[in-house]
């Protein structure tokens, strides 16, 4: 009897459950990692995303070999062919895989005919087990993030004094929404020079025979656990002390602000959520850091990340096809080429994504996703773009985050109201509007900001549906008091813009 372990590309942790299940027999346990070129063709992935994942996989394979595992590393078109060869060569009688976190990949594995039993080992890359989240969710009338977050704080004893939150309140979000004013001095991000393995991957991605997206170089992401730990340490020392107040701010030429940049490493398995939370909480306790910064960051990992993953596995398999507003507009071409828009906020953020595969959460939600929502872009098209464009994006992240939170396509399962906003929000929280062709104050006319006329057009088009959402009543009241001629002009501007961009697409 020979058990073999297949390590997937987002499960790069020595303590992952499939490897842990054979830890005592690691020298006799064959391990395989596979780069599939056909799988990489499924989306027009950011070139740096491919480099990050494949280089991290190769480095992880080397680390496993150094630790005494017998590792096969294969580059192939598909997964089935190298798996069959590996099973036969090693006389494997059972294949173990840590349960894949993404539904489509689970289906790929289920469709493989391996010739021997395949056993899924429960996934241990999250604090909440899938069954524990399901038990929490089925016992509640509402699935609110804040309720889940408070349960997690109590369960894992994070920032708690007995049964009460440290500081006397659970949430310091009101202190963490400051607009950028005056001279800012954010810390430099910790980046890395590509080593020989990464340089080889860069050359291979450059030579691929299918289209990619974004700039391939300079590639500056870490690809090892040591690098991921260094990024975490760098954030705790330099970003965390001032993280909170300006975490929602957006500034020209500032790619990372005070953000941690740990999400790509968490989602690959190079970092674990508990160690990230512990590092931040320990820094707070040892160095008397501002509680609003510490709590704000922990909420992103213990709250948002765990909540999104839990919902992804709890909701029905067809959740990704949700389209409550029946939006069908094509994704504007400038999402793939930032030079095609003269909206400065979009151009700034999209050019940054092209260069790095990264943008922070407010850039994603309140600019990139917001614009697609108010234009009426198909939720599946914008979700597909997010999945391809960001180095930290996977199906489990993007379905809930884009379909549910960003596009409100689930009708309110995840969010309590649509994240739709006019140019006022961007003007307040960034410096983008001061360098734009459009006027952030204008709703009509030649230089009217598209965020303005699309926002009111969105409310107008969907007011019957939106009436069912209590938090929208004030905004709908403002819509009904609007001058009819102004609203007609905005409808015309919105439709003309859509027509123009349909033709460009």
């Amino acid at each position: 009897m020979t058990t073999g372990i297949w390590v997937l590309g987002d499960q790069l942790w020595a303590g992952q459950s499939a490897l842990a299940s054979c830890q005592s027999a690691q020298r006799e346990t064959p391990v395989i990692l596979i780069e599939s070129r056909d799988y990489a063709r499924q989306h027009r992935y950011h070139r740096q995303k491919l480099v990050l994942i494949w280089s991290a996989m190769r480095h992880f394979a080397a680390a496993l070999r150094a630790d005494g595992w017998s590792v096969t590393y294969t580059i192939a078109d598909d997964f089935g062919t190298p798996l069959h060869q590996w099973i036969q060569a090693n006389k494997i009688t059972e294949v173990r895989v840590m349960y894949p976190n993404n539904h489509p990949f689970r289906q790929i594995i289920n469709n493989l005919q391996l010739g021997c039993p395949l056993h899924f080992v429960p996934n241990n890359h999250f604090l909440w087990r899938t069954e524990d989240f399901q038990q929490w969710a089925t016992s509640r009338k509402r699935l609110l993030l804040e309720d889940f977050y408070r349960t997690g704080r109590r369960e894992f004893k994070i920032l708690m004094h007995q049964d009460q939150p440290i500081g006397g309140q659970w949430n310091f979000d009101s202190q963490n929404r400051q607009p950028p004013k005056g001279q800012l001095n954010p810390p430099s991000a910790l980046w890395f020079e590509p080593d020989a393995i990464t340089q080889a991957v860069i050359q291979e991605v450059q030579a691929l025979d299918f289209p990619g997206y974004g700039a391939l170089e300079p590639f500056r992401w870490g690809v090892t656990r040591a690098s991921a730990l260094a990024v975490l340490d760098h954030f705790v020392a330099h970003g965390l002390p001032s993280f909170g107040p300006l975490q929602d701010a957006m500034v020209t030429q500032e790619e990372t602000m005070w953000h941690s940049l740990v999400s790509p490493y968490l989602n690959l398995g190079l970092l674990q959520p508990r160690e990230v939370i512990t590092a931040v909480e320990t820094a707070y306790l040892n160095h008397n850091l501002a509680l609003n910064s510490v709590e704000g960051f922990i909420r992103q990992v213990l709250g948002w990340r765990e909540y999104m993953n839990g919902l992804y596995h709890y909701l029905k398999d067809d959740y990704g096809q949700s389209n409550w507003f029946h939006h069908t507009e094509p994704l504007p071409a400038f999402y793939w080429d930032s030079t095609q828009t003269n909206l400065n906020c979009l151009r700034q953020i999209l050019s940054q994504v092209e260069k790095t595969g990264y943008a922070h959460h407010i850039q994603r939600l309140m600019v990139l996703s917001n614009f697609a929502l108010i234009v009426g872009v198909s939720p599946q098209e914008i979700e597909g773009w997010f999945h391809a464009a960001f180095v930290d994006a996977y199906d489990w992240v993007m379905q809930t985050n884009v379909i549910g939170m960003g596009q409100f396509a689930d009708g309110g399962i995840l969010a309590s109201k649509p994240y739709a906003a006019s140019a006022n929000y961007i003007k307040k929280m960034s410096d983008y509007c001061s360098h734009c062709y459009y006027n952030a104050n204008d709703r009509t006319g030649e230089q009217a900001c598209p965020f303005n006329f699309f926002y009111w057009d969105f409310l107008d088009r969907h007011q019957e549906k939106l009436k069912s959402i209590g938090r929208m009543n004030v905004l709908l009241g403002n819509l009904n008091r609007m001058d009819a001629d102004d609203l007609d002009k905005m409808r015309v501007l919105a439709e003309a813009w859509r027509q123009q961009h349909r033709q460009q697409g």
Side-chain angles (χ1 to χ4, degrees), residues 127-139 148 151 155-156 310:
L127 290 170
W128 282 75
R129 298 183 305 171
T130 299
E131 56 267 30
D132 292 336
F133 184 92
Q134 291 176 341
Q135 183 178 357
W136 174 85
T138 54
S139 67
F148 172 78
T151 301
E155 175 71 21
F156 299 105

Side-chain angles (χ1 to χ4, degrees), residues 333-343 346-348 350-351 354:
F334 57 71
Y335 275 81
W336 295 107
D337 179 4
S338 62
T339 64
Q340 295 189 37
T341 180
N342 55 0
L343 265 160
L346 287 165
R347 187 172 64 249
Q348 291 290 336
L350 288 167
S351 64
E354 289 168 359

Side-chain angles (χ1 to χ4, degrees), residues 113-127:
Q113 301 296 320
L114 298 182
C116 70
L118 186 146
H119 175 64
F120 286 123
V121 184
N123 191 302
N124 65 342
H125 272 185
F126 293 84
L127 290 170

